Amino acid sequence: EGKEIIHKDIIYFEKECNGTIVEVAMQYNDGYSENVYSFANNINTVEGGTHLSGFRAALTRTLNGYAKNKGILSEEKAPTGDDYKEGLTVVLSIKLPDPQVEGQTKTKLGNSEVKSVVETIVGEKLSEYLEENPSVGKKIIEKCMRAAEAREASRKARDLVRRKNALDSMHLPGKLADCSIN
């Protein structure tokens, strides 16, 4: 609410594999934060877990692969996982026969086999969706590329400030001193 959505339709898919049902609903908006709601057997896994790790790995790999196949981005300008998560709202729900939870509050899924199941299903279904909806794929990649550019610009500005502060404390002889405007 209060955000402009990047694509009108919610990306939704559901599939069962090895007794585990994976259900995903996701949509991008023009915001900067990621909103993740993950569930295992209808229990909110606030701390995430292996199913969320599998989702994030598949999201990055699938979107990078799609963008490279379409010629939208090159190797050196590839967004990172954080760029792909910017503005993403996702509900990830899995149903599995024997959930193993971690942590004192029991809100983190620990089944190691779930990561590969979720990664496989999300990669397959998201690829299908992007191939069937190239305009949505292009909008998502463009948003992620803008996030990568902003991240890079922020890093350069931070480095410049740090360098300037480091040079302020050092007094170099005239030939070696940085340029300055008087």
Side-chain angles (χ1 to χ4, degrees), residues 7-105:
H7 51 96
K8 185 177 66 117
D9 296 331
I10 295 173
I11 301 171
Y12 173 82
F13 48 87
E14 177 180 1
K15 186 174 179 182
E16 191 258 332
C17 179
N18 299 333
T20 301
I21 300 170
V22 177
E23 188 176 10
V24 176
M26 56 189 275
Q27 188 173 43
Y28 278 90
N29 61 52
D30 65 351
Y32 304 110
S33 62
E34 171 193 31
N35 297 308
V36 175
Y37 305 96
S38 62
F39 300 87
N41 292 355
N42 295 331
I43 297 168
N44 191 352
T45 51
V46 181
E47 296 176 32
T50 53
H51 58 317
L52 188 55
S53 299
F55 171 81
R56 288 181 172 151
L59 178 74
T60 303
R61 184 176 35 82
T62 304
L63 290 176
N64 265 338
Y66 175 79
K68 287 174 188 160
N69 288 342
K70 297 295 180 188
I72 300 173
L73 65 94
S74 59
E75 289 287 334
E76 63 273 359
K77 294 205 176 196
T80 64
D82 288 339
D83 299 325
Y84 286 123
K85 293 185 298 185
E86 187 174 293
L88 174 66
T89 300
V90 64
V91 178
L92 170 64
S93 176
I94 65 165
K95 293 184 175 59
L96 64 163
D98 185 27
Q100 298 168 358
V101 289
E102 296 176 0
Q104 191 171 4
T105 56

